[in-house]
Amino acid sequence: MSTSSTSRSARPRPLRWPNAVAVALATLVGSVAFVSNVAHAAVSQDQRDMVDRVMQRLLTVVEEPEQYDAWPPQWLVVDEPALNAFATVDRRQRNQNNELRPLVRIYRGLLDEIVEMNEDRLAFVLAHELAHLTCGHVTSEVGDTGVLDAAFTREQELEADRVGMKYVVAAGYSYRDAMGAPQQFVESDHSYTSFEGIGTDHPSWIERLELLESDELQKQYWRAASSFQTGVFFLRAQNFQAAEFSFRAVTEEFPKCYEAWVNLGYAQLMQYCDALDSDDLESLGIGQLIVGGFYERMGGTRGPVGDIESLWWDAVGSFQRALTLKDDLLLAKADLALAYLVHPSGTPDLGQAARLYADVAELLEDEEATANIDPLTRAAMLANAWVGLYHNDESQNAKVLAQIEQFLKRAEQRRQTADAAASVRAALDYTRARSLAASGDQANRGEAMELLEDYLAATPTTSAWWSLAYDQYADLAKQLGKPAQAADELRKPRTDDWRIVTSVTTGDDIVVSLAAPIRRLAASLDETVEGERLFQRFGLKQYVFGDVGTTLIGGRDVIAIVLSGPNAPPVQLRRETLGAQSEQVAIGMPRSEVEALLGDAWTSTNTSIIDPDQRHEFYEDVGIAVRYGDDNTVVEIIVTVAPRRGGGK
Ligand SMILES: [Zn+2]
């Protein structure tokens, strides 16, 4: 997926779960029985808790290897001063089902001297050991005589580093901070010690650091990083502000991640576009644009709009940064060209856009190099080029239209993109109608009026282009002496095209969003509020902020936002169209008003996280659950997303 367009159906469904939420859920399901025998004495309780916590979190992203009888491994903290950790299979230890379980051991010395209570460093060490197990470096045959101090080969060491770091970032740990573990080995004069013991051909830590920092591996890590995937989730939900935060975090961890820079720019540009109204579009004098594309791997509303123009500059800066890192990035060029078409001066910068679209056209000719760009995105990029530039250009007009048509036909063959393809056609028709209307020819203007009428019927009324189109339509009707349909007749209220709600903004302009790191967010709301354990075994906590009527629930990241009481911020609802006005659902609203916005297609649920007896009406498409009081007004709203059952990609 890559095109988020002005159509209601451009949103791909179902949404993929961002890793953070998936991890929280896996924890909730709690199907894995964790065993942890921790030795007594000098290992502190904090250290033991941290080992348990980090191991459990890593295990949620590690696929169970086939070669062992039982999984997960048993893990132990050994209360000895050695700088040691290893993975093995111990034939002497069988569990109650007589199964042989792999084993991970970590020594107090390593916790004291290398980890130093840093979870990301610990994640590096434990993930390295887990990788030895999942990569098949430890077999059941090893250790017949008891625990064998592992003697891994040089290649196995490097592989465990490489694979382990993927687990680290996928579980949401920081790559930069995790790298502190190997760095600490170098700095603490243990640069030739592998933590599994000294082997003759072990790679040195300096060598291992170099490998982990290589461009090739970094590329794998940023794609696996949970913040990247969370950002993609927010882009798909069109929560552009939350997406901006996620991709900013990726660029801080991986400054060379050109894909994150493109997506960051896209999130910024879309916030800018969202803030444009009909007057802005009229002044730009441009037809309907289809918004660009973002990078997806493995497969919002901006509270009070601050300085809109600076968003545009931020976006352009991000695209340029991406192009500095890699100068043939198709999406970066197409999105940057789109930015020049909606220039904040109110006049499209056609020169820049033309230069970039020429590059886009050239890159698209190389089918092989652009194989990951789907036909719908290709059609959308060219449609913007045609709307912004080529429809006026005799030499390009027909040729580009033919290309767009070719990609649209391919997009229409896929069920997921068929509706979105229709919205690209609508955008083309709108521009065609504008051109026809401008001609002096009576028949052309009649045709323009018909095209506009179709456009108005097919386009959500909340699109900023809708009212522009209606004015032109009414104008033409007057000129031609034909009857025009009233705006109300053409307006079609829709209840199924809201964006998924992923955040709320408090009165102090703090954006509270799902999948954000819960402790950081809690501190920004009120650092004196401590989290209370919700369910011991799920590792969930809740942070209650009575002053702003907001409760956060989550493990490491926020998985639900509960709003109640008079100070709770309203939930902003936005349709999927760009520039669409927002509506809100707030505490105290009568049921009739809520249903006028959202309809009555809710599923009833009595599985409130906090109180199992409470019943909510859950609007899955919108991601909010509403509870009414005795007087039928809203008393509680929960913002959360649920995995969709069945169906689709
Ligand atoms: Zn190793």
Side-chain angles (χ1 to χ4, degrees):
M1 148 80 204
S2 41
T3 299
S4 144
S5 79
T6 51
S7 147
R8 55 180 279 261
S9 40
R11 182 174 73 202
R13 297 165 192 244
L15 290 167
R16 275 184 79 101
W17 280 81
N19 242 23
V21 180
V23 167
L25 269 198
T27 313
L28 270 173
V29 172
S31 58
V32 188
F34 296 110
V35 184
S36 171
N37 302 339
V38 190
H40 53 85
V43 181
S44 74
Q45 189 60 43
D46 282 354
Q47 286 174 319
R48 293 172 192 179
D49 288 349
M50 183 166 74
V51 169
D52 288 352
R53 203 162 52 233
V54 172
M55 192 59 123
Q56 286 176 14
R57 189 169 173 94
L58 286 170
L59 284 169
T60 61
V61 299
V62 174
E63 277 186 34
E64 181 175 341
E66 285 172 4
Q67 63 264 42
Y68 307 112
D69 294 343
W71 190 259
Q74 188 185 44
W75 63 89
L76 302 165
V77 178
V78 181
D79 197 357
E80 286 174 23
L83 262 67
N84 228 357
F86 60 85
T88 189
V89 173
D90 183 354
R91 286 225 166 257
R92 294 169 308 184
Q93 291 204 1
R94 290 180 173 271
N95 66 11
Q96 55 271 53
N97 301 326
N98 200 33
E99 290 168 330
L100 203 55
R101 198 180 267 273
L103 176 72
V104 171
R105 290 191 173 183
I106 181 163
Y107 285 64
R108 189 190 73 224
L110 200 149
L111 290 175
D112 286 342
E113 286 189 49
I114 304 295
V115 172
E116 295 177 317
M117 286 311 284
N118 179 308
E119 297 207 9
D120 305 273
R121 288 185 194 176
L122 177 61
F124 177 87
V125 174
L126 294 178
H128 174 97
E129 297 309 327
L130 286 171
H132 276 310
L133 295 173
T134 58
C135 295
H137 302 164
V138 180
T139 61
S140 303
E141 287 71 41
V142 170
D144 264 342
T145 55
V147 178
L148 189 78
D149 274 349
F152 297 118
T153 66
R154 173 192 165 78
E155 282 65 38
Q156 287 175 330
E157 280 306 291
L158 296 177
E159 186 178 24
D161 280 348
R162 212 162 57 225
V163 174
M165 187 59 102
K166 267 197 197 170
Y167 298 153
V168 168
V169 296
Y173 291 107
S174 158
Y175 163 82
R176 298 256 144 235
D177 290 345
M179 289 292 277
Q183 276 151 6
Q184 184 74 359
F185 270 101
V186 173
E187 280 162 24
S188 64
D189 256 0
H190 296 288
S191 51
Y192 283 89
T193 318
S194 163
F195 42 69
E196 287 115 355
I198 298 167
T200 47
D201 68 344
H202 270 154
S204 74
W205 279 109
I206 291 177
E207 202 181 337
R208 293 168 71 171
L209 269 173
E210 274 171 10
L211 177 80
L212 289 167
E213 281 169 351
S214 69
D215 285 358
E216 199 38 54
L217 280 189
Q218 285 211 26
K219 208 174 286 182
Q220 296 179 19
Y221 297 147
W222 79 55
R223 287 169 183 170
S226 79
S227 45
F228 192 101
Q229 294 178 38
T230 306
V232 169
F233 168 80
F234 282 130
L235 283 186
R236 289 179 152 212
Q238 300 188 44
N239 184 331
F240 300 118
Q241 193 173 26
E244 183 185 356
F245 293 145
S246 297
F247 288 115
R248 201 181 286 287
V250 180
T251 59
E252 279 162 13
E253 283 268 297
F254 302 102
K256 291 187 204 162
C257 178
Y258 45 83
E259 289 163 341
W261 283 110
V262 176
N263 287 357
L264 175 62
Y266 178 81
Q268 291 159 332
L269 182 62
M270 290 305 108
Q271 288 177 73
Y272 168 82
C273 287
D274 260 344
L276 297 177
D277 59 21
S278 300
D279 290 345
D280 297 323
L281 296 177
E282 193 152 33
S283 118
L284 284 163
I286 203 149
Q288 189 192 317
L289 298 166
I290 311 290
V291 300
F294 55 87
Y295 282 102
E296 183 180 355
R297 292 293 156 185
M298 339 254 291
T301 54
R302 187 181 185 81
V305 177
D307 183 357
I308 300 172
E309 191 174 333
S310 74
L311 275 170
W312 187 89
W313 287 103
D314 287 349
V316 168
S318 300
F319 295 136
Q320 282 168 343
R321 183 74 182 263
L323 287 167
T324 310
L325 290 163
K326 198 170 185 310
D327 63 9
D328 61 348
L329 286 170
L330 182 59
L331 287 183
K333 289 188 186 244
D335 288 341
L336 187 54
L338 179 64
Y340 284 119
L341 291 178
V342 290
H343 199 282
S345 66
T347 308
D349 188 336
L350 297 177
Q352 293 276 24
R355 179 180 63 79
L356 288 155
Y357 278 130
D359 289 356
V360 167
E362 196 176 313
L363 287 168
L364 276 176
E365 280 169 21
D366 187 346
E367 285 272 346
E368 207 174 309
T370 58
N372 61 331
I373 310 284
D374 64 83
L376 180 63
T377 306
R378 291 160 186 261
M381 285 190 282
L382 291 176
N384 284 334
W386 186 81
V387 166
L389 291 171
Y390 298 142
H391 73 278
N392 282 327
D393 179 344
E394 285 291 317
S395 68
Q396 298 279 354
N397 184 354
K399 188 182 102 191
V400 176
L401 266 185
Q403 282 175 319
I404 297 170
E405 187 55 34
Q406 186 196 336
F407 291 132
L408 280 179
K409 286 214 168 101
R410 276 161 59 187
E412 279 161 344
Q413 284 162 9
R414 300 187 189 178
R415 210 160 56 90
Q416 307 97 305
T417 48
D419 288 344
S423 77
V424 176
R425 290 194 189 282
L428 298 176
D429 279 348
Y430 177 72
T431 294
R432 211 175 267 132
R434 281 162 46 99
S435 299
L436 289 169
S439 85
D441 184 278
Q442 191 84 349
N444 281 348
R445 286 150 91 195
E447 197 185 336
M449 196 178 150
E450 281 170 30
L451 280 172
L452 284 171
E453 198 168 295
D454 291 347
Y455 173 85
L456 289 165
T459 306
T461 55
T462 43
S463 160
W465 274 281
W466 197 93
S467 54
L468 282 182
Y470 186 81
D471 290 349
Q472 284 165 338
Y473 165 76
D475 239 26
L476 277 172
K478 203 180 285 174
Q479 291 170 25
L480 297 167
K482 290 187 178 177
Q485 291 195 51
D488 284 346
E489 286 172 48
L490 287 163
R491 274 179 213 280
K492 284 189 186 158
R494 325 166 77 117
T495 53
D496 59 346
D497 59 359
W498 297 105
R499 298 180 196 183
I500 286 204
V501 175
T502 45
S503 64
V504 295
T505 306
T506 68
D508 300 330
D509 286 349
I510 295 173
V511 177
V512 178
S513 59
L514 294 177
I518 196 163
R519 260 177 284 171
R520 204 176 66 201
L521 186 53
S524 71
L525 283 166
D526 180 353
E527 56 191 27
T528 66
V529 172
E530 297 268 343
E532 309 156 28
R533 286 226 163 185
L534 209 51
F535 299 108
Q536 182 87 15
R537 59 187 276 260
F538 298 154
L540 289 183
K541 281 190 171 181
Q542 65 168 333
Y543 292 77
V544 182
F545 304 93
D547 289 352
V548 289
T550 302
T551 298
L552 305 179
I553 294 173
R556 181 185 166 107
D557 303 321
V558 179
I559 61 169
I561 304 162
V562 183
L563 306 169
S564 61
N567 301 327
V571 171
Q572 300 287 339
L573 295 178
R574 255 191 167 202
R575 306 241 181 219
E576 291 190 332
T577 45
L578 277 187
Q581 286 180 347
S582 64
E583 302 277 358
Q584 42 179 247
V585 173
I587 301 298
M589 244 169 108
R591 176 189 283 270
S592 57
E593 285 181 25
V594 176
E595 294 199 341
L597 289 170
L598 294 171
D600 54 7
W602 39 263
T603 32
S604 174
T605 162
N606 59 357
T607 51
S608 161
I609 290 175
I610 299 172
D611 177 353
D613 292 331
Q614 287 177 358
R615 212 184 67 133
H616 287 85
E617 290 172 8
F618 186 30
Y619 291 89
E620 280 182 70
D621 284 342
V622 192
I624 64 173
V626 180
R627 186 160 66 85
Y628 296 97
D630 294 337
D631 62 350
N632 241 350
T633 62
V634 178
V635 294
E636 185 177 83
I637 305 169
I638 300 179
V639 177
T640 189
V641 269
R644 285 161 197 283
R645 279 172 293 253
K649 177 175 89 158

